Amino acid sequence: MNTFLMAANWKMFKTRDEAYQTLTELGKILQTAPKNRDVAVFAPFTCLSACSEALSVCPFVRLGGQNVYPAKDGAFTGEISPGMLVDCGCSMVLTGHSERRSLFKESDAFVGEKTAFALKAGLSVILCAGETLEERDAGGLKEVLFRQLEAGLEKVDDSISPDRLSVAYEPVWAIGTGRVANEAEIVEAHALAREFLVSRFKTAGDKIRILYGGSVKPENAGAIIGLDNVNGVLVGGASLKAQSFADIITA
Ligand code: PGA
């Protein structure tokens, strides 16, 4: 497995024009994805169509939604279906981001519903998992990771193609804090995630990409993707500017 997945999570930032401009600029800087790099951008729903238009000048980017509801359609005010994401040009979606878990009270089981439903609907999924500082300090890293991965993947087909599913390890205490996990902490958590994936999906579990997320920047991205079992990064703040994200992609 040597193609890294370099993913941007724009969270609740950017108007349509700003999103279009950022991708246009990224396309000018990079023209094409560097060797061994897949690139994805998870943009706000309102920007997806504008991003999709920008793919004519930035064709190497795959688009994704930051959230999805596990139903084809229905009376779910404020929610969005996999088909609606596809209609806006998406081929990917995030599930289980810690901001969804903590701020919007998404349970492990609900994250599992979303993950399985989105995969069945044809989207590729990055399932996010990670512990809070309290959980880490209480020695709960393995328990939390395994619990979130177990529930998050419970309803996923055993035969899922490993290029359609990735896991992002995102320690909550490293997200948006500037405090990146150190190399030993990343290696330990990714080895645990790999152990879980191999026990769950057998040989395919070795091929599922495990991304690191939490204060990734151009200065640390190269070292991070050089670590064992790190197959890419999920980047928030440092992905908002085209040059900064380009520097991470090429790190
Ligand atoms: P950050 O966010 O890079 O701003 O820490 C990462 C994420 O939430 O995916």
Side-chain angles (χ1 to χ4, degrees), residues 9 11 97 99 170 174-177 213-216 234-238:
N9 174 9
K11 307 193 180 186
H97 191 280
E99 285 150 18
E170 297 205 303
I175 295 179
T177 58
S215 300
V216 175
L234 180 57
V235 191

Side-chain angles (χ1 to χ4, degrees), residues 187-209:
V187 168
E188 181 194 12
H190 281 237
L192 287 169
R194 180 68 67 208
E195 179 189 329
F196 181 88
L197 292 171
V198 169
S199 77
R200 174 69 175 78
F201 296 106
K202 311 295 174 247
T203 53
D206 253 334
K207 301 202 189 86
I208 292 173
R209 289 187 281 200

Side-chain angles (χ1 to χ4, degrees), residues 225-241:
I225 62 169
L227 299 173
D228 274 357
N229 285 309
V230 179
N231 314 114
V233 285
L234 180 57
V235 191
S239 73
L240 291 169
K241 292 212 161 71

